[in-house]
Amino acid sequence: MSSLETPHDTGRGFGSREVTVIGGASVLMAVNVAVMYLVVATPLAALNDALFAYPIVGVLVYGAAITVGQMIAERGISGDSTGLALVGTVVLQLAFGVFGAGVLRFAPRDAQLPILGVTAIVVALLTAVIAGYVYVRSKSFESWGSYANYAFIGGIVAVAIGTFVPPVLLAGFVLIFLGFMLRLGWEIWKVRDRRGSVALQTIGVYIAVAGVFVHVLQLVMRVLARR
């Protein structure tokens, strides 16, 4: 039996920790959706056009912003520095918010809220499915963290190639999307097995959900564009 199949006595069940983490991540995500809706009416919404003139540039810039924001937030939480944690969270909000606004700006203003609502419902369903799978399986999902990193690296490589060979860009999108979904499963597993503080887990789940959200938003926009 491999390590992936090894059962663990996790004491899993939906309790106060889950409510706190999911509640906190949901609040952060709700704020992020509001940021997207507000930023889309500002010149910042056009930033994607400049960054993704060469797709690999956009991926690296947003990837760096998310990584830096996470590091600052986690350092603030670990060091009991509310100010530092807030700065990191603001960086994350802006990174996902500006990117999401750049995607959303191609929709009519009166359709933007419904689009965000549909995206939120799809993401909630995906999160529920992943969480349900993690909680019903008595095994470790630690490897999902590694798989997520491999998917992100593969996605970056695919986007780098796709910058010059456009058909390859789709593979980059799929791999990065897969990376965020795997990371979401990994983060939920850490909540299930009580690995880390509630605050750190809240930030982790929020980042994963936000990553899934902006990818689903792109898919929703594509579906609407074909109608």
Side-chain angles (χ1 to χ4, degrees):
M1 182 179 292
S2 69
S3 61
L4 291 180
E5 299 296 332
T6 303
H8 291 260
D9 181 13
T10 62
R12 64 185 186 277
F14 204 84
S16 60
R17 174 179 287 259
E18 284 80 4
V19 171
T20 302
V21 171
I22 293 174
S26 298
V27 169
L28 289 174
M29 194 63 241
V31 172
N32 226 161
V33 171
V35 170
M36 292 178 195
Y37 185 71
L38 293 174
V39 171
V40 76
T42 74
L44 280 176
L47 185 59
N48 283 4
D49 291 347
L51 292 178
F52 286 95
Y54 295 95
I56 187 59
V57 174
V59 168
L60 291 177
V61 168
Y62 281 114
I66 293 168
T67 300
V68 170
Q70 179 181 0
M71 290 175 61
I72 294 174
E74 291 182 344
R75 179 168 296 185
I77 292 169
S78 299
D80 199 24
S81 172
T82 302
L84 199 59
L86 181 60
V87 169
T89 303
V90 169
V91 172
L92 289 168
Q93 289 280 339
L94 287 175
F96 286 116
V98 172
F99 179 80
V103 174
L104 189 63
R105 78 187 185 94
F106 294 102
R109 187 61 171 172
D110 60 353
Q112 289 170 359
L113 278 178
I115 288 171
L116 288 171
V118 170
T119 302
I121 292 171
V122 174
V123 172
L125 291 173
L126 284 174
T127 302
V129 169
I130 293 172
Y133 180 76
V134 170
Y135 270 79
V136 299
R137 299 297 301 275
S138 296
K139 69 173 188 177
S140 169
F141 286 83
E142 186 170 8
S143 61
W144 281 30
S146 297
Y147 295 155
N149 289 333
Y150 297 150
F152 287 137
I153 293 170
I156 292 171
V157 171
V159 171
I161 296 172
T163 298
F164 306 100
V165 186
V168 184
L169 286 174
L170 178 59
F173 174 88
V174 171
L175 284 169
I176 294 174
F177 188 13
L178 176 62
F180 276 113
M181 288 196 292
L182 287 168
R183 175 169 179 174
L184 179 56
W186 179 66
E187 294 287 356
I188 291 172
W189 165 72
K190 289 198 297 180
V191 176
R192 188 198 76 180
D193 279 19
R194 293 167 171 76
R195 294 172 180 259
S197 72
V198 168
L200 287 174
Q201 289 175 344
T202 299
I203 290 293
V205 171
Y206 154 63
I207 292 172
V209 171
V212 172
F213 188 97
V214 294
H215 281 79
V216 172
L217 178 61
Q218 293 176 76
L219 293 175
V220 172
M221 289 291 293
R222 286 179 180 274
V223 169
L224 290 177
R226 292 176 180 175
R227 293 181 61 180

